[in-house]
Amino acid sequence: MNAVMKSLLSHRSIRSYQDRPVSEEDLTQIIQAVQAAPNWVNVQLVSVIAIKDAERRNHLSVLCGNQKHIAEAPVFLVFCADYYRTWLACRVKGQSLDTVLEDMDTVIVGAHETGIAVGTAVAAAESLGLGTVVIGDIRQNPLEVISELGLPPYVFPVLGLCIGYAAEDPGLKPRLPMRAMLFEEQYDTNLEDALKFYDAQYAEYLKERPFNNRVGTWTELVSDFYSTPYHYTHTEEMLQRQHFLGGAASPAQR
């Protein structure tokens, strides 16, 4: 197994960080890797805001549901789907972008571009000996995040990423067995036995990990998580405010 595969298969989400800075050289390499990642038609729909200021990291940790690791990590990256540059390019040609931005698929494209970018950043950071954890709750209070980061119209935050040196090793979390997620030619719906196997494996992992605040199985985790609808209440408002899905930016934003 080569070094790249070893790094990828050793991924852990780190939620406790040393008081040790990330070098500018390492951060530059991570962003270079993000820029080299696959993207659609070379439109390059991702921007990254690097948050190093301790006060701003603390504020963002509160906006993301009081996640202390955001304040603790020396660098917090906010990954945004960015059509602002696209808008500028279209403006040069006297072309409107409004019809394109009304299409839900445009939002999906921006989101999947951002997902590819974050995955690449995680792999790059971990190859340099750094720890990471992805933060979906950057969308918990998106209007405040947009204001805090000064995002212009046509840009919206999708994911955050903590980067720093790990202060703990949470252990390697077992994933679904491959037969539950890789299918030949067509989807196989007979997954009950695979999930029972994984439930036993996951329950054992929870019992043995060095810090443990919950027990149970994977199916219990998933069903509890979705026992009530889980969604961010301001997503549609955020998208419309940023000029997507038929929304319009205020005159002050134009």
Side-chain angles (χ1 to χ4, degrees), residues 96-109:
S96 172
L97 197 61
D98 292 346
T99 301
V100 173
L101 296 181
E102 291 176 1
D103 189 349
M104 176 58 78
D105 193 64
T106 298
V107 175
I108 292 173
V109 170

Side-chain angles (χ1 to χ4, degrees), residues 8-98:
L8 290 171
L9 295 178
S10 298
H11 167 72
R12 294 157 168 79
S13 291
I14 302 300
R15 292 179 173 84
S16 182
Y17 293 89
Q18 299 176 33
D19 183 15
R20 179 182 172 189
V22 173
S23 72
E24 286 300 314
E25 180 183 0
D26 283 353
L27 183 56
T28 296
Q29 288 188 75
I30 292 166
I31 299 304
Q32 286 174 331
V34 168
Q35 288 192 281
N39 72 92
W40 193 48
V41 201
N42 202 36
V43 178
Q44 303 179 69
L45 295 171
V46 176
S47 287
V48 184
I49 315 295
I51 311 300
K52 304 174 187 177
D53 178 75
E55 185 175 343
R56 179 163 281 133
R57 283 188 281 112
N58 187 65
H59 186 204
L60 288 169
S61 75
V62 173
L63 293 178
C64 294
N66 295 309
Q67 298 191 59
K68 67 176 182 62
H69 35 281
I70 296 174
E72 194 176 272
V75 177
F76 182 56
L77 303 182
V78 181
F79 287 75
C80 303
D82 187 344
Y83 284 87
Y84 181 72
R85 290 183 297 263
T86 309
W87 176 75
L88 289 175
C90 290
R91 187 175 67 171
V92 170
K93 300 282 288 186
Q95 179 180 325
S96 172
L97 197 61
D98 292 346

Side-chain angles (χ1 to χ4, degrees), residues 3 12 41 54 57 106 110 116-117 137 153 158 160 173 193 213 222-223 229 241 245:
R12 294 157 168 79
V41 201
R57 283 188 281 112
T106 298
I116 292 170
D137 280 340
V158 180
K173 187 178 295 182
D193 288 344
N213 56 8
V222 172
S223 58
R241 169 175 161 171
L245 303 183

Side-chain angles (χ1 to χ4, degrees), residues 218-234:
W218 180 82
T219 53
E220 288 172 342
L221 166 72
V222 172
S223 58
D224 287 347
F225 185 78
Y226 288 110
S227 59
T228 56
Y230 186 86
H231 64 278
Y232 299 118
T233 56
H234 299 293

Side-chain angles (χ1 to χ4, degrees), residues 163-185:
I163 296 179
Y165 289 92
E168 64 179 14
D169 183 355
L172 194 61
K173 187 178 295 182
R175 300 302 200 200
L176 286 163
M178 194 173 292
R179 67 180 185 271
M181 59 79 62
L182 174 65
F183 310 111
E184 294 286 342
E185 311 300 341

